[in-house]
Amino acid sequence: MSSKSLFRKIANSKLGVSEPNPAWFGNPANESRNPLWTLKNWLKSRFHFSFAEYSNPHNIDFGVLRVMNDDLVQPNRGFGEHPHRDAEICTYVVQGHLTHQDSMGTAETLHRGAVQFMTAGRGVSHSEHNLHQSDPLRFIQIWITTRTRGLKPNYGSFVGDEAGRRNQWQHLVGDVNDSKSSSAIQINQDANIHVTEIDAGETVTFTVAEGRQAYLLCVEGAGMVRGDHGSEEVLVRHDAAEVYGPNTFTITPAELSAESTETAATAGAGAAHFLLVEMKHTGRGRSDL
């Protein structure tokens, strides 16, 4: 396999983008003139795979990774109660305050660096809101296909640890069947979620083993990603990459000419924030690039 096929950049321009009608999710009309809003619409979603109105038969999933949605929710807005089933739903909070409630009786608010999971199993309903009156909320929602259908619904969370992800990979989510896993959260699939915040001048390394694959997301800032097969790409906020093993790559923060104005920069000047979903190799990714 060539170095090009071991690492494929997915530019953010190739993602699906959605700004849905607020009424669809139980919200009042937009406050487009509200100076505290960073966008005119209550929600802007970036879909890494086919989802909702973004339908692309060449971009359905990546292995067991079925959904990765990058959602930006304006103050005092959110997703009303809705059902799910047969997926492990993991949500990583990038910025703001995410308030979750579900049909299992769970209710909590999570902040930057926190991760939650919900085993939808045989059926569960939940809602997600940004109840803050002035701060936008950004989170990455990930759906992973479970190895077994009809599981008992379950919920858990980890509040995050900034020191644990600073200039190193923090293992947030792992496989419940992996006795060696030290992850804060465990799910019903051979998949792992890692996150790192890298200071300017620092470098982190990750190895995707043979027979494994990973989906890499630049959450904030920019990073130069160099693979051990000669690949070299700069990823900026919202860019992603498909990585196939065996491949060891490094990430070093890169200069960024201008950050998006949709959200305030929270990774720090010259820093980079990355998230990675690693799994057993079960299939190729996009076929339209």
Side-chain angles (χ1 to χ4, degrees), residues 6 21 48 99 103 184 194 196 219:
L6 287 172
N21 186 312
H48 286 256
T99 297
S103 56
H194 304 262
T196 184
V219 178

Side-chain angles (χ1 to χ4, degrees), residues 77-275:
R77 295 295 188 271
F79 300 87
E81 186 175 4
H82 56 281
H84 293 284
R85 64 181 304 116
D86 290 324
E88 294 283 17
I89 302 175
C90 301
T91 304
Y92 178 71
V93 182
V94 178
Q95 178 187 3
H97 318 273
L98 172 65
T99 297
H100 165 98
Q101 290 184 289
D102 62 45
S103 56
M104 294 177 283
T106 308
E108 69 173 342
T109 298
L110 298 170
H111 310 283
R112 179 177 173 84
V115 63
Q116 62 170 202
F117 85 98
M118 187 172 68
T119 302
R122 54 180 177 257
V124 66
S125 296
H126 77 143
S127 63
E128 300 158 298
H129 285 92
N130 176 13
L131 299 180
H132 202 276
Q133 298 303 304
S134 60
D135 295 344
L137 162 68
R138 182 182 170 210
F139 61 90
I140 312 299
Q141 186 159 103
I142 296 163
W143 296 9
I144 294 173
T145 304
T146 53
R147 61 166 61 92
T148 305
R149 296 175 64 86
L151 294 168
K152 179 181 178 181
N154 192 20
Y155 177 89
S157 62
F158 172 58
V159 297
D161 172 15
E162 183 175 357
R165 63 180 182 269
R166 180 68 60 185
N167 299 319
Q168 61 185 339
W169 289 103
Q170 184 173 43
H171 192 184
L172 295 179
V173 177
D175 183 359
V176 70
N177 288 349
D178 182 0
S179 60
K180 297 180 181 179
S181 175
S182 59
S183 62
I185 285 173
Q186 295 183 324
I187 60 173
N188 295 278
Q189 185 53 271
D190 182 3
N192 300 277
I193 299 177
H194 304 262
V195 67
T196 184
E197 290 192 55
I198 316 166
D199 293 326
E202 298 291 333
T203 297
V204 299
T205 301
F206 193 92
T207 296
V208 180
E210 187 166 5
R212 310 287 293 183
Q213 63 189 58
Y215 196 80
L216 178 67
L217 171 67
C218 181
V219 178
E220 295 175 302
M224 172 63 76
V225 185
R226 295 184 174 92
D228 59 4
H229 294 272
S231 59
E232 185 175 287
E233 291 279 4
V234 173
L235 301 187
V236 302
R237 177 156 47 171
H238 304 304
D239 285 348
E242 300 172 356
V243 189
Y244 300 90
N247 197 347
T248 296
F249 64 88
T250 62
I251 307 175
T252 304
E255 290 295 327
L256 190 61
S257 57
E259 271 277 37
S260 166
T261 58
E262 292 177 2
T263 59
T266 49
H273 189 177
F274 278 80
L275 181 145

